[in-house]
Amino acid sequence: MAALFGRRMRRGAASTAVAAAAMAALSASGAPSAVGEQPAASAAERPSAGASGQEDPSVTGDSPYHTDLPPLKGPGRNDPPDETPATGSAESGIPATVLDAYRKAEASLAASNPRCRVPWELLAAIGKVESGHARGGRLDTNGTTPSPILGPVLNGVGFANISDTDGGAYDGDTLHDRAVGPMQFIPQTWESWGRDGNGDGRRDPNNIYDAALAAGSYLCAHDRDLTVERDLHQAILGYNRSQEYLRTVLHWYDYYRKGAHEVPDGSQPAPGAPTGTGGKTPSPAPVRPGTPSPSPTKPGKPTKPAKPGDGSSSKPTPPPTTPPPTTPPPTTPPPTTPAPATRLVDLGDGALSAPARERFAERPAVRAERADKKPAAQAKVRFTLTGETGTTFEGGATTVTVTTKADGVAKAPALLAGGKPGALTVKATLLGTTEPVTLGLRGEVTAPRADKLVRTDETELTCEAGATFAGRIALTATRDGEAAPGVAATATVLANADPADGEKAADQGPYFLTPGDEPAEDRRTRELTLTTDAKGNLLLPELHTDDTTGTFRLRVETTGGAVVVLELNVTDPA
C-alpha cells in the first residue's frame, strides 16, 4: 500500500539493503485519522488480544501507522555525505507545541527514572509514525487535539480483536476499543499508563503533553535502559508488534538525532486520506510523483483530424472518460460531550484495611453522578492519600487521577500498606466542578503479620528446679517466604504438657523476668509480648524455674497465626 504521509518517491538507494528496508516499511499500513478506519499491516502479524499464550495488548492494539520513511540518501542525490537532514527541511520540522511536549517528557523521565534515559527524539519518531505529530501540530492552547485522533475499530477484521474496555469513554465506541490520541493509546493501556504531563490534574490521551509522558513511561517499563539496543527494540515492539513498525520508528529516530527544528503549529500538512482495505470501498489510488497525468481536452477547442500517411490512425480519438466517484468508507461520528458530573458516591464496604507492608484487598472506588443521579462517564476523579502510615498506591504515588467509565465508576490503583500501623484517609475529589466535591474514604494499616515461625537455636530445654535454662530461645518469623519485621508475638508458659488438657497459662514452673528495679519475685511473668526485629528475628528472655518439677509447654504465636510450641522439662536438683 502507498504511504499516506509525504508521498515521496524513493530513488537512488545507497544499497540493496536500504532499498529493501524502505520497501518493507512502505508495504505496511496507513495512518489513523480523526474518524475513518485505516488499513493495517499483515493480519498474520497482529494476533487477537486475549488469545492463548498471548501477552497483554500493545499500546496501540497494533493499530496501523504512518509508514513513510525519512528521506533516503543515494547516488545522484545532492545530500550531505553524513546524511544529516538539511536545516529547515520540511521532513525534519516538528510543530512547536509537539516538540515542547517531547522535550518535557524527556526531562520529567530523566528526573523520575534516570536509568531509562529515554531521548525525546524517540518520542518524536513514534509521534511522527503514529499521528504525523498530532496532524501537523493541530492543537489548542493546552496541547489538546480539537477532535479525537482515532484508530480503526479493533474488531478482529484485519486488526487485533479487543472488546470495549472503557464503555466508550475515550473512543466513543461501546463495542470495541480504538487507539486514541497523538500517541495512539488503546483505552485499557491508557488506564494503566496514562499520565498528567501538563499538570492540569487530568490524564487525557488527546493531550500531547499527557500522551508523550505516558508513551515515555511505557517505553521505560520493566527497568529498561534505552541506550541498550535490545531494550530499545523491545520497547518499540511493545508499542506495536510489527518488524516494519520497528524499522520505520528506528529510521525516524536516527533521522531526528541527526537534526530537527521547530516549525509553527499547524504549518505542516495533516496526514492524507486513508486507502480502504478489509472489505471497505477503496479511495482513489494516489498518483505517484513522476507518473504522467492525463491531459484533459481544453473546452471549445476542436480535435485536429489526423493526416493520411502520417502514421496516425484515421479513427477519431474518443473523448477522455471520468471514472465514477467512489463511495467513501463509513465513518464513526466523534463522541458527544456528556453532561458534567456533580457529585461522588462511595462504593466501598468499609474494608479498606491491610496489615503493614501488604496489599489492600479492596481498591478505593467511587461513582460520579450527574445532577439527575445518572452515572457520569469521562469524569476526572483525583485520589489522594493522607496519613502517617507510609501507604502508597501501586507504583509509589500518593496522588492519582482516574477517568470514570460508562458506569460512572472510578477505581484507584491498588493500595500498598506502609510499615507503620495506623489510620489513613483516601480523599476522592471530583475535578472540573465550580465547587469542590470531595469524599473521605477511611482506611487502616494493622500490625504486620507472619505466616511461619521457626526455631533457630539448639538450646536444650531441660533445666533443674530453682535454676536458669542454658541459653535463650531464638525464632524467625516470615511472610510469604520473606523476613517479617515488626511482627508482634506472644510467648506463654502453659500449665500442662498435653495439648488435650487445654491452653491454660501456668501459675508455677518456668517463668520470665520483666525489666525493672523491683525485686525479682515481683517481676515474674509467664506471659509476655515481643516484636520481631528488622530481619524477622525473635529472641526470648532467659527462662528461670521455681521449685516445681515436671513437663511444661511454651507456646509462641505471632500476629497472623504462626505458632511454635516447645516442651520444657524441669527436673529435681542433682
Side-chain angles (χ1 to χ4, degrees), residues 27-387:
S27 67
S29 63
S33 71
V35 293
E37 297 179 4
Q38 310 300 317
S42 170
E45 77 174 346
R46 301 187 187 280
S48 297
S52 177
Q54 177 65 37
E55 63 231 73
D56 292 339
S58 62
V59 165
T60 63
D62 298 334
S63 292
Y65 49 86
H66 287 289
T67 54
D68 197 33
L69 293 170
L72 303 178
K73 315 300 173 182
R77 299 283 297 274
N78 295 322
D79 300 313
D82 63 354
E83 299 192 1
T84 301
T87 301
S89 66
E91 291 87 350
S92 61
I94 300 177
T97 299
V98 181
L99 180 58
D100 183 56
Y102 296 150
R103 286 174 168 163
K104 284 184 176 176
E106 177 192 56
S108 176
L109 290 164
S112 63
N113 190 354
R115 168 183 166 78
C116 178
R117 292 181 280 192
V118 59
W120 70 260
E121 294 92 343
L122 177 58
L123 298 175
I126 291 174
K128 173 73 169 180
V129 170
E130 290 297 341
S131 69
H133 299 312
R135 302 195 197 105
R138 284 158 175 79
L139 304 163
D140 63 18
T141 55
N142 295 320
T144 303
T145 58
S147 60
I149 300 176
L150 298 176
V153 177
L154 299 177
N155 57 7
V157 182
F159 315 111
N161 185 9
I162 304 179
S163 298
D164 175 61
T165 62
D166 66 330
Y170 292 118
D171 54 17
D173 192 327
T174 57
L175 294 179
H176 294 89
D177 274 350
R178 304 176 70 171
V180 181
M183 304 303 276
Q184 289 291 279
F185 276 83
I186 56 174
Q188 60 180 303
T189 310
W190 182 258
E191 279 295 317
S192 300
W193 292 97
R195 298 291 185 267
D196 178 12
N198 59 356
D200 65 354
R202 304 176 61 205
R203 297 186 309 154
D204 185 356
N206 299 298
N207 181 277
I208 185 60
Y209 289 96
D210 295 359
L213 183 58
S217 300
Y218 182 88
L219 294 171
C220 290
H222 306 299
D223 202 28
R224 293 189 183 107
D225 178 354
L226 298 185
T227 62
V228 177
E229 183 179 272
R230 180 174 180 273
D231 285 1
L232 174 65
H233 289 192
Q234 285 183 339
I236 297 172
L237 286 172
Y239 219 95
N240 191 311
R241 299 187 197 95
S242 162
Q243 291 299 319
E244 282 89 351
Y245 182 86
L246 172 64
R247 286 191 289 270
T248 304
V249 169
L250 289 176
H251 271 89
W252 279 109
Y253 174 40
D254 184 61
Y255 186 72
Y256 286 138
R257 289 175 66 191
K258 292 174 181 176
H261 66 282
E262 177 183 305
V263 297
D265 290 346
S267 62
Q268 292 182 320
T275 52
T277 58
K280 307 295 187 296
T281 303
S283 300
V287 179
R288 295 179 177 272
T291 302
S293 302
S295 300
T297 303
K298 293 182 180 180
K301 186 175 181 180
T303 304
K304 188 176 181 180
K307 294 180 180 179
D310 64 358
S312 62
S313 171
S314 59
K315 197 173 184 179
T317 302
T321 59
T322 303
T326 58
T327 303
T331 61
T332 301
T336 57
T337 303
T342 59
R343 71 176 198 144
L344 293 176
V345 178
D346 183 8
L347 298 182
D349 57 4
L352 285 179
S353 178
R357 299 185 180 87
E358 295 188 33
R359 182 189 298 267
F360 281 69
E362 298 292 328
R363 291 165 54 186
V366 297
R367 182 173 64 249
E369 293 183 349
R370 306 193 304 246
D372 58 5
K373 296 187 179 181
K374 291 185 178 180
Q378 294 182 277
K380 304 294 182 181
V381 179
R382 177 185 294 159
F383 292 94
T384 305
L385 278 167
T386 60

Side-chain angles (χ1 to χ4, degrees), residues 479-498:
R479 173 72 183 171
D480 295 330
E482 301 289 336
V487 176
T490 301
T492 307
V493 178
L494 302 177
N496 305 297
D498 187 355

Side-chain angles (χ1 to χ4, degrees), residues 492-515:
T492 307
V493 178
L494 302 177
N496 305 297
D498 187 355
D501 294 335
E503 299 289 329
K504 183 179 179 181
D507 55 10
Q508 58 184 358
Y511 61 86
F512 301 104
L513 288 176
T514 60

